[in-house]
Amino acid sequence: MKKIHLFAAAVWLALASAPTLADDAPLFVPQWLGAQYTFIDQHQSSMHSPYSGPLSLRARGDTERSHTFGAYFGVALPAHFQFYFDVEMFKGEAVSGATGLGGFANGDVVHSGGGTLSKTAYVARRYLRWTLPLGGERESAQRGQDQLPGEEATRRIEIKLGKMAASDDFDKNRYADAARTQFLNWSLLNNTAWDFAADTRGYTDGLMLGWINPSWSLRYGVYLMPVEANGTKLESSPRRARGEQLELTLQPRAGGAVLRLLAFRNIANMGVYRDAIAYALAHGTAPDIHADDRPGRRKYGYAVNGELPLTDDGETGLFTRAGWNDGRDESFAFTEVDRTLSAGLQLSGVHWERPKDHLGVAFAIDALSPAHRDYLALGGQGFTLGDGALAYGRERIVEAYYDIALVDRLTLAPDVQLIHNPGYNRARGPARFVGMRTHLEF
């Protein structure tokens, strides 16, 4: 607790000494762009469980609390360059050690590294951004995390290079994108079949190229993969291992419906499920995908992402995602999901005279490839799943939250989740989660 207070004091001092956020702030002067604190208290109830394994959701239930702190800075440089630097810290734990589910119940604990990393402050992002205007039309850019205030060309080339998260630029969604203010479950924050490149905390080094237009945009990103599945160490070169993604975003009308089409390919030191199974059957052992790791193996997949504003200036709207990957090679960086479908609704509190409140309700269905499910059924383990056996069934998730604006920049959100077939196992569950989130931002 003492370290938490020291970090909070450091953030406060940084905020107090940061320059004012005028649009015409001089070059080379760091600007404070924001800070946040999120506290999540989550309880997992006990559930039916005739057996369990080392990576199972705990049958007797669990209660844990997580804290995330962040401070975000940016610097305007000459010739349309900007530099961003973010510092974060994670405290606490995840229920059941962040294992036992494909769609985990607290999306903010990805920054804990599954509880295996230190609880000290770390650099989350450190990257250079460059834009090349392609026309004279401009739009206002509001101050925000990793966004300097000012004006930007509506048609531009954009390049980012350095440490960041692949999900900063890909698979975005207005209604289901942030565990700190929206849904908590992983399967409602990102397309979980998109096994995007990342270290254990969710960050990586890479390059993003964007061609931005008012009604459409095209982005390509290439990022370093970890050396091993869910590992802390990244590969030294994209020639050795990399994650590539290409996304087309279509929005014919400003403020209207958005459709995103994404394709990805990973090249990494991965194992093949069928090969691991064949070796285990030949030697009378449980399959071990990690022992089958070989460099240069490839995994690919696709994702569709849509959002549909309905009313209330877009504060009420619908979203959906669908994703598929080949499921041949091991899940490597995000979570163990090979197919996914999700949909939901965000409803503005303006309808009951609480315009800053939001109610969200959504569902997700996650599934495994035949090879992946056979591997787990024979007692194999991934990095989040391993019951020792498997009576396969699709993992089905329902979540509802209500985000209450207490005062300016402070929200409180009760959250409930029901998950059938946790870890894709019909023999276990259902699992129930009740949580309370407090979020403060500056």
Side-chain angles (χ1 to χ4, degrees), residues 125 127 129 146 156 158-161 163-173 177 190 194 206-210 212 217-221 223 245-249 260 262 305:
R125 296 173 183 84
Y127 67 88
R129 177 176 182 258
D146 302 324
R156 63 185 184 273
E158 180 176 331
I159 299 176
K160 296 166 77 171
L161 176 66
K163 183 177 184 180
M164 63 193 104
S167 56
D168 290 344
D169 294 289
F170 296 89
D171 193 41
K172 306 296 290 181
N173 194 290
D177 197 62
N190 289 111
W194 172 40
L207 170 71
M208 192 285 295
L209 307 174
I212 314 301
S217 63
L218 185 65
R219 290 181 172 87
Y220 167 78
Y223 305 95
Q245 35 274 311
L246 181 69
E247 184 179 64
L248 174 65
T249 299
R260 298 176 177 89
L262 182 147
N305 174 341

Side-chain angles (χ1 to χ4, degrees), residues 174-175 214-215 249-260 305-310 318:
R174 177 173 183 171
Y175 305 113
S215 60
T249 299
L250 302 172
Q251 187 176 22
R253 183 174 58 85
V258 183
L259 179 65
R260 298 176 177 89
N305 174 341
E307 60 186 65
L308 178 63
L310 297 177
L318 303 172

Side-chain angles (χ1 to χ4, degrees), residues 235-320:
E235 290 283 3
S236 58
S237 168
R239 292 184 178 181
R240 290 178 53 86
R242 62 188 180 274
E244 298 176 278
Q245 35 274 311
L246 181 69
E247 184 179 64
L248 174 65
T249 299
L250 302 172
Q251 187 176 22
R253 183 174 58 85
V258 183
L259 179 65
R260 298 176 177 89
L261 306 172
L262 182 147
F264 78 91
R265 181 182 70 165
N266 293 342
I267 302 174
N269 185 38
M270 294 182 284
V272 176
Y273 290 114
R274 289 296 182 202
D275 291 352
I277 291 171
Y279 183 90
L281 293 176
H283 293 80
T285 61
D288 182 3
I289 193 70
H290 312 298
D292 186 58
D293 286 348
R294 300 290 186 277
R297 284 176 168 161
R298 287 164 167 76
K299 181 176 185 175
Y300 66 92
Y302 310 97
V304 179
N305 174 341
E307 60 186 65
L308 178 63
L310 297 177
T311 186
D312 310 321
D313 293 324
E315 291 301 296
T316 293
L318 303 172
F319 77 91
T320 187

Side-chain angles (χ1 to χ4, degrees), residues 33 74-85 126-133 138-139 141-142 145-164 168-169 206-208 210 212 219:
L33 299 178
V75 180
L77 302 171
H80 304 290
F81 280 97
Q82 299 172 341
F83 179 74
Y84 292 94
F85 185 83
R126 180 182 55 239
Y127 67 88
L128 192 67
R129 177 176 182 258
W130 178 73
T131 59
L132 174 65
R138 306 183 71 81
E139 61 185 358
Q142 301 298 317
Q145 179 182 332
D146 302 324
Q147 179 61 66
L148 286 163
E151 289 189 339
E152 289 194 331
T154 58
R155 291 179 171 84
R156 63 185 184 273
I157 299 296
E158 180 176 331
I159 299 176
K160 296 166 77 171
L161 176 66
K163 183 177 184 180
M164 63 193 104
D168 290 344
D169 294 289
L207 170 71
M208 192 285 295
I212 314 301
R219 290 181 172 87

Side-chain angles (χ1 to χ4, degrees), residues 97-99 110 112-117 186 195 198-202 225-233 290 330-336 382-384:
T99 61
V110 66
S112 74
T116 61
L117 303 181
W186 280 358
D195 196 13
D199 64 11
T200 315
R201 291 198 193 274
M225 294 290 286
V227 173
E228 59 184 9
N230 198 37
T232 58
K233 184 179 178 181
H290 312 298
E330 69 178 303
S331 297
F332 208 73
F334 183 24
T335 189
E336 296 194 54
F383 60 85
T384 63

